[in-house]
Amino acid sequence: MFRSANAVRRPFMTAFRSQIKPRSFASLSSGRLFVARQKQQQQQQKQQQQKQQVALLHSQRKAAAPKMQLPQNDLVQMASKQTSQFVQKLRTSSATDLMHMTSKGLVVAFPLGLLLSPSFLCVPIDFAMGVVVPIHAHIGMTYVIDDYVPRGSQTAIARGVLLFITLLMLYGLLKVNLCGPGISESVKALWRKPAKKE
């Protein structure tokens, strides 16, 4: 019987598609791949050039920057050596040694604080005394507890109370230094005449 026009064209078109179109797609895709690879290579070359420029700038800056050197004079070396020796001595010292060091520090700091009292130079001395005085008092009272409080649970209770009092003293002196006139000025105020009220 009669075939339709589409039925006649189909075998021819399928043969045409199988032979011609895949070749054209392959040629198109290979051309696109070639262009994409060229773009990728160009981008990589640009990135390498930028990296080289950055490395060159860094090397120029390093060469142009002056080399910083710390002063190596005898005074700096002596101060660092004394500080390290003092820290080492604090670590290895006993409670008695620490009490002797705090008493020597207070003998120097207290009169100096009274002399410098109304000035800002007294502030670090006041803060140092605010820490050293409670430590000195705590160590001294620990020896009193060891000597006069009977052994056992009473010693533990007494040491706990002493620790609480030491922390309270530390807090009070810190508050006087931060919110008040400072330790030295407070002591000096004991010998001043009160201001007359009008």
Side-chain angles (χ1 to χ4, degrees):
M1 300 254 192
F2 293 106
R3 289 192 212 178
S4 68
N6 286 338
V8 174
R9 284 189 221 156
R10 266 191 204 139
F12 177 73
M13 291 301 285
T14 53
F16 177 75
R17 283 183 188 158
S18 65
Q19 292 177 0
I20 306 238
K21 279 199 175 180
R23 287 181 189 165
S24 64
F25 281 135
S27 63
L28 270 177
S29 62
S30 65
R32 287 181 187 165
L33 283 175
F34 178 73
V35 172
R37 284 181 187 160
Q38 277 186 336
K39 286 183 181 179
Q40 188 178 12
Q41 287 175 354
Q42 288 174 353
Q43 287 177 352
Q44 287 176 351
Q45 287 175 354
K46 284 182 182 179
Q47 287 176 354
Q48 286 178 354
Q49 288 175 354
Q50 288 174 352
K51 286 180 182 178
Q52 288 173 355
Q53 289 174 353
V54 169
L56 182 65
L57 283 174
H58 282 302
S59 64
Q60 288 174 352
R61 284 183 187 167
K62 284 182 182 178
K67 293 183 179 178
M68 300 284 291
Q69 290 183 351
L70 293 174
Q72 293 295 325
N73 49 359
D74 296 334
L75 188 62
V76 173
Q77 289 178 354
M78 187 176 69
S80 64
K81 185 177 179 182
Q82 291 288 335
T83 305
S84 63
Q85 286 177 355
F86 180 72
V87 170
Q88 185 65 27
K89 190 175 181 181
L90 276 179
R91 286 181 182 167
T92 59
S93 62
S94 64
T96 306
D97 295 335
L98 192 59
M99 183 161 178
H100 289 302
M101 280 191 272
T102 56
S103 62
K104 289 175 187 174
L106 286 174
V107 164
V108 174
F110 191 71
L112 192 62
L114 289 178
L115 288 174
L116 300 173
S117 178
S119 71
F120 68 92
L121 296 172
C122 190
V123 173
I125 295 171
D126 282 344
F127 278 105
M129 283 195 297
V131 174
V132 171
V133 168
I135 291 173
H136 183 77
H138 182 82
I139 294 171
M141 288 306 295
T142 301
Y143 288 142
V144 171
I145 288 172
D146 287 343
D147 288 341
Y148 295 105
V149 175
R151 304 264 181 226
S153 62
Q154 292 177 351
T155 306
I157 293 171
R159 284 195 177 197
V161 170
L162 176 63
L163 181 64
F164 175 73
I165 291 171
T166 302
L167 293 175
L168 194 64
M169 187 189 327
L170 186 68
Y171 171 73
L173 292 176
L174 183 66
K175 187 159 184 171
V176 166
N177 284 331
L178 289 176
C179 302
I183 296 172
S184 303
E185 190 63 28
S186 298
V187 171
K188 254 184 154 178
L190 293 173
W191 286 277
R192 287 195 183 125
K193 290 182 180 179
K196 292 182 180 179
K197 295 179 182 178
E198 294 179 5

